[in-house]
Amino acid sequence: MSNQILTNDGRSLPAHVAIIMDGNNRWAKKKFLPSIAGHRAGALAVRKTVESAAKCGVKVLTLFAFSSENWKRPQAEVDGLMGLFMRSLKKETKRLNEHSIRLVVVGDKSGFSKGLQDQIERVEQVTAQNTGMVLAIAANYGGRWDIAQAAKKMAEQVAAGEIEPDQVTEEALGQHVCLAGLPELDLIIRTSGEERVSNFLLWQLAYAEFVFMPVLWPDFTGDHFEEALAVYQQRQRRYGGR
């Protein structure tokens, strides 16, 4: 069920790691800084974590950057996040290519400005041939939306006579959710001490291991990432069996 990797010492390494990057606002508040300062510091933590994941041999790293619920935040914060997303895409493209990392953005991209949609498409195209780790950014993403859009695609196929209703199976639906075709999710990490999934990868996390860490996201380092991997390596994954 998993595509996890074995290290030289026989320990399992997750092929696919996802992170709910939580704590930017609390980090900024503790330092009496505006919220955007926390998000900027969080962007630096993203860079360090991507480098650590690639170095460790992870095949796919999925980061929860902006949920479909985040539009409810103050407009100034949303505008700042969109600007930061645009700048990060422009700034990090060269670094992604240097490390042969392929970028994919998953979520309802139609909610973004035309300029941001175009920039996402450019970076995805420029990194499409890279053969190293896949970096998936979940932006304007929600787990319920993901399942609903997959179901809608299959309903359209049934309505068009392309498939029969009894062909709507778990396996078939799984081919239409985001991240289909990539290794199944092995490990999900959440920072800041919160212990909930917040509508993230609801389909994909069915058999994933969870690691909750108290560190606020801007303070997350490569050492924290490796600590989470070490916790994962101590787990016994049974997938419903003994």
Side-chain angles (χ1 to χ4, degrees), residues 19-31 33 37-49 52 189-193 213-227:
I19 305 179
I20 300 175
M21 306 178 293
D22 194 17
N24 289 347
N25 278 320
R26 272 171 282 175
W27 183 91
K29 187 175 182 179
K30 284 177 63 176
K31 296 179 180 296
L33 296 171
H39 295 305
R40 291 194 188 106
L44 295 177
V46 167
R47 177 187 294 176
K48 296 174 185 176
T49 302
S52 295
I189 302 166
R190 180 166 187 151
T191 60
S192 86
M213 308 188 79
V215 60
L216 298 176
W217 176 250
D219 294 325
F220 193 85
T221 66
D223 288 341
H224 291 110
F225 186 79
E226 292 183 17
E227 179 184 340

Side-chain angles (χ1 to χ4, degrees), residues 136-186:
I137 302 295
N140 197 22
Y141 175 90
R144 290 179 175 177
W145 165 85
D146 192 359
I147 296 169
Q149 63 87 28
K152 180 182 177 183
K153 289 177 182 177
M154 297 215 71
E156 290 171 345
Q157 290 179 319
V158 172
E162 297 173 3
I163 61 173
E164 296 297 323
D166 61 4
Q167 291 179 278
V168 181
T169 63
E170 178 180 328
E171 291 75 17
L173 188 66
Q175 295 174 12
H176 294 283
V177 296
C178 294
L179 306 178
L182 294 175
E184 289 196 24
L185 182 60
D186 294 308

